[in-house]
Amino acid sequence: MDKVFKDFKEINIDLFENIFIPEMDSLEKSIVGTSNINYVSNRLFMWMFSKEDVKEFESIFGLLRQPKYGYVRSEFKRKLISQCNKMLKEGICPIEPMLYASKTVNRIISNDVEDHEDISDVICEVEKYDRNMVVKTLEHIITRWSWYPQLKIALLAAGKVSDDDLIQMAYNKFSDNKYLNYLKPELLKMLVYSKKASFVPQMVSILSTLERDSTSDRAIANFFRENFDKYVGREGVTELNIYYEMNYSFIKDFAKSIIQAVLKDCPLPLQDGPDKKFTYFKQLCIAYSKQKQNEKLREEILKNLFDSSYSAFSSMVYCLRYTKDKALATYLEDAVLRRKDAKIGDYKNAILTLGFLGADNHDFVMELSKRDKDLKYAMYGFFIVQGSETYCTLMADELIFCKDLSELGSIHRVLREVINVSPKLRSIIKEKLKAALLDDSKEVRKIALLNIQPYWRHIIDKDILNFLFEQIGYPDKPIKFSIEEQSIVLKIAKDVINNFGRNIYKYLDYVRRRNDFDPNIKQLATRILLNDFEPAPPQ
């Protein structure tokens, strides 16, 4: 077998430097595309390659036009790897020309999961020779390309390559509703393939967007059930269980059933083993809250808080809030400062736990919150649970108007822990939302509604619901909201259906009967009525 270079330093060629602007008369011969694509800041390709390189790949992709028997698939994959090896020997990055050439069979590969997996596997073969080059190329493709079949392949490859920054960047970009309907399966697979328990919150966030009555969403759920523990392992199952217990009330019902199935199939360690479950620590702290004179319980709590096991420490940082014992706040501060392996999530939980305990050391909280920019929301939460109206207003403003998905995730991670204990916060969010809904800008209204999606059941009251349906024409008024906004209103109705009963039925039936609604909107209203609405029993 021909030698394949394992590091680009072995090749005395400068083709992998970011390309420079050549003489214009050499452009057509050497580069795919035009100068407008390749030599400006938003260029399509990162590396240099020729038209002949693309044609080689196009010939291989032609195999997919045949019936896809096992032999054809294995031959297709073998030839892709062989062509990549040939180009690597020549000092040419094969990923971009390969994916660009795959556009010639987009109608064939668009929704073929097996094709996506095969091509992403080939990218992982290239990664064995130069990981840094592959990560940079995938980042470029995910950032600048807009063809969905190729983006699906790039997302799967990103997960298999398992670079944290690349995965987080891809998730931040494509978890927006604008993309999620097209890339949801690949986004979840990327997170699962990463084998990283740290991405459990993002996985659960995607699971919470799934609908039980959608065939495609049920397929995504089945993938998660069958593959989560296989890829993420015991650590992932433990993290999934902890996250599930911490955020139970904010996880949608279908997502809960998916997670419960995973936890049932993958039992956690026994509580008397070295890896005690989160539930044990929570129950320990609750028991202590009812008998604070019990020194044995107190000693057990402090022993686990200062335990050498990171898992015990991390769980206790969160669970200590259940003790309701302000005297334990100083121990928590000491444990956090001593811990060298504490993570940003632990700092967030420590700040909030101190708030729930009624700690007085505001300076400690302010200093700890400086360790990461997103910890400012934990600091907001600390003051919110202690009754600060100023910080309730700050949090509400950040929530309603946030346009950065990564930042919004940080807000949600804090808000879901404090919104139930602060009526003042809920009231201020309602007022801010009502003001945003009166804005002339469709974008402002849409962002406000979508940003509070996890809290619709807590925030949407009868006045807001009436106003929303007035904007979509109830009763027999002009329709003011766009189709996208109408869809959001119906999804809100589905989410709060148990809160409003007959009022929801009245609104949905109106949408179903009115002729000038888009057919998809009418169908959505009908589906909610059939699947989610339960009439009250006869009196």
Side-chain angles (χ1 to χ4, degrees):
M1 182 177 173
D2 292 336
K3 180 181 186 306
V4 176
F5 293 100
K6 295 191 175 182
D7 194 308
F8 281 82
K9 295 185 180 72
E10 297 179 33
I11 306 171
N12 189 22
I13 279 181
D14 290 331
L15 285 176
F16 286 92
E17 295 300 317
N18 283 345
I19 52 182
F20 59 93
I21 301 178
E23 296 296 324
M24 290 306 291
D25 59 5
S26 68
L27 255 169
E28 262 187 40
K29 290 183 280 186
S30 60
I31 304 292
V32 171
T34 70
S35 58
N36 288 338
I37 293 176
N38 286 282
Y39 300 112
V40 293
S41 62
N42 64 341
R43 63 180 180 267
L44 186 61
F45 303 116
M46 186 174 184
W47 308 112
M48 181 177 286
F49 55 89
S50 70
K51 290 182 179 179
E52 286 67 32
D53 296 323
V54 176
K55 287 178 181 176
E56 290 282 355
F57 279 117
E58 286 178 351
S59 174
I60 298 170
F61 280 109
L63 288 171
L64 297 181
R65 295 189 173 94
Q66 304 175 27
K68 295 177 184 176
Y69 301 118
Y71 169 77
V72 172
R73 285 200 177 278
S74 61
E75 183 68 2
F76 164 68
K77 196 169 178 180
R78 185 191 68 77
K79 286 191 172 185
L80 280 184
I81 293 172
S82 176
Q83 178 62 17
C84 286
N85 284 341
K86 174 174 174 287
M87 293 179 66
L88 287 168
K89 287 172 60 179
E90 296 169 356
I92 302 173
C93 177
I95 297 173
E96 289 177 312
M98 177 174 69
L99 289 184
Y100 189 74
S102 72
K103 288 173 74 270
T104 59
V105 288
N106 264 0
R107 289 187 179 181
I108 297 171
I109 70 171
S110 181
N111 294 305
D112 193 311
V113 173
E114 204 167 343
D115 286 343
H116 300 162
E117 295 286 359
D118 285 345
I119 301 168
S120 65
D121 285 343
V122 173
I123 294 175
C124 291
E125 290 297 314
V126 177
E127 184 256 347
K128 294 176 183 177
Y129 302 115
D130 193 314
R131 176 179 174 82
N132 187 52
M133 181 269 296
V134 170
V135 169
K136 285 184 176 179
T137 305
L138 288 173
E139 181 181 356
H140 182 87
I141 289 168
I142 289 168
T143 303
R144 307 205 182 247
W145 288 26
S146 58
W147 303 297
Y148 280 117
Q150 287 65 42
L151 287 173
K152 290 177 180 181
I153 295 164
L155 289 174
L156 296 180
K160 294 172 183 178
V161 168
S162 194
D163 179 88
D164 286 6
D165 291 338
L166 175 64
I167 290 169
Q168 188 62 57
M169 181 275 291
Y171 177 81
N172 289 345
K173 178 173 182 180
F174 294 123
S175 57
D176 184 277
N177 281 3
K178 181 170 63 174
Y179 302 106
L180 197 56
N181 289 337
Y182 302 100
L183 297 170
K184 194 183 297 183
E186 291 73 28
L187 209 56
L188 183 65
K189 285 182 178 181
M190 174 187 74
L191 297 169
V192 172
Y193 288 161
S194 75
K195 302 181 180 180
K196 300 289 179 66
S198 58
F199 288 121
V200 161
Q202 290 88 335
M203 295 180 205
V204 175
S205 179
I206 293 177
L207 293 180
S208 287
T209 69
L210 303 183
E211 300 287 348
R212 195 186 298 271
D213 57 350
S214 163
T215 303
S216 58
D217 281 359
R218 288 199 301 272
I220 298 171
N222 288 337
F223 168 84
F224 186 81
R225 276 196 293 257
E226 294 166 7
N227 291 279
F228 177 79
D229 68 307
K230 171 183 170 184
Y231 284 95
V232 195
R234 173 171 154 172
E235 180 188 356
V237 175
T238 302
E239 184 66 27
L240 181 63
N241 182 62
I242 292 173
Y243 189 85
Y244 176 70
E245 292 190 0
M246 286 183 180
N247 300 282
Y248 180 84
S249 61
F250 292 98
I251 299 173
K252 298 293 179 66
D253 290 343
F254 185 41
K256 285 177 184 174
S257 69
I258 299 166
I259 296 169
Q260 288 165 356
V262 172
L263 296 177
K264 182 180 178 182
D265 292 340
C266 312
L268 291 158
L270 295 174
Q271 290 186 3
D272 58 355
D275 299 315
K276 295 184 175 72
K277 289 201 291 186
F278 175 87
T279 305
Y280 168 78
F281 296 117
K282 181 177 178 180
Q283 291 171 347
L284 173 67
C285 291
I286 291 172
Y288 173 75
S289 73
K290 297 174 182 177
Q291 39 183 321
K292 291 191 173 67
Q293 304 307 315
N294 191 323
E295 280 301 315
K296 286 186 178 179
L297 290 178
R298 191 170 188 273
E299 287 171 10
E300 177 71 6
I301 286 170
L302 294 177
K303 175 187 170 186
N304 285 297
L305 179 62
F306 290 94
D307 198 299
S308 59
S309 161
Y310 170 77
S311 176
F313 158 77
S314 184
S315 295
M316 285 305 303
V317 166
Y318 185 93
C319 291
L320 211 63
R321 65 191 65 180
Y322 297 113
T323 65
K324 301 178 182 177
D325 187 357
K326 185 176 180 179
L328 294 177
T330 54
Y331 293 100
L332 175 57
E333 293 167 12
D334 186 31
V336 169
L337 291 178
R338 287 190 189 190
R339 201 80 196 191
K340 302 300 180 186
D341 55 353
K343 300 174 183 175
I344 299 301
D346 299 317
Y347 297 145
K348 185 264 292 183
N349 288 335
I351 291 170
L352 290 175
T353 295
L354 289 170
F356 284 112
L357 293 177
D360 298 321
N361 194 348
H362 294 183
D363 290 341
F364 176 84
V365 169
M366 302 287 273
E367 282 302 311
L368 195 59
S369 69
K370 293 177 183 176
R371 297 196 176 190
D372 186 89
K373 63 181 180 64
D374 288 339
L375 288 175
K376 76 172 184 178
Y377 301 116
M379 182 189 69
Y380 289 1
F382 171 86
F383 289 109
I384 286 169
V385 297
Q386 295 197 358
S388 169
E389 185 169 340
T390 299
Y391 282 95
C392 285
T393 302
L394 284 172
M395 182 70 93
D397 280 333
E398 296 268 13
L399 171 69
I400 295 293
F401 300 109
C402 182
K403 294 182 180 180
D404 184 283
L405 282 173
S406 177
E407 197 169 348
L408 184 62
S410 299
I411 294 170
H412 285 326
R413 281 189 283 277
V414 171
L415 199 56
R416 64 168 62 103
E417 297 194 40
V418 301
I419 195 167
N420 282 330
V421 300
S422 178
K424 189 176 296 182
L425 175 62
R426 296 196 297 273
S427 175
I428 292 174
I429 292 174
K430 283 183 184 181
E431 294 309 312
K432 297 284 183 182
L433 174 62
K434 289 174 181 177
L437 292 175
L438 292 171
D439 197 286
D440 291 335
S441 168
K442 167 191 167 184
E443 193 66 17
V444 169
R445 298 192 301 264
K446 185 182 80 169
I447 288 172
L449 287 171
L450 291 178
N451 283 3
I452 67 159
Q453 184 170 358
Y455 322 106
W456 282 344
R457 295 179 191 178
H458 301 80
I459 301 302
I460 302 298
D461 58 22
K462 189 175 180 180
D463 289 341
I464 294 175
L465 194 66
N466 290 343
F467 176 81
L468 290 173
F469 275 94
E470 282 175 9
Q471 301 311 295
I472 64 172
Y474 182 87
D476 301 320
K477 295 179 181 178
I479 297 173
K480 297 179 181 178
F481 275 8
S482 66
I483 291 178
E484 185 179 13
E485 290 173 293
Q486 293 167 33
S487 176
I488 294 170
V489 171
L490 291 183
K491 288 174 182 175
I492 290 173
K494 176 178 178 177
D495 208 48
V496 302
I497 203 164
N498 291 330
N499 295 2
F500 297 100
R502 296 298 303 180
N503 278 337
I504 295 290
Y505 177 86
K506 173 182 67 178
Y507 290 137
L508 294 174
D509 189 56
Y510 152 75
V511 174
R512 181 173 65 89
R513 292 174 182 277
R514 182 163 168 169
N515 292 328
D516 55 344
F517 276 112
D518 182 90
N520 290 328
I521 296 297
K522 291 165 69 71
Q523 186 181 41
L524 178 56
T526 303
R527 196 161 64 236
I528 295 170
L529 280 170
L530 291 174
N531 297 335
D532 296 279
F533 183 75
E534 295 183 7
Q539 298 297 317

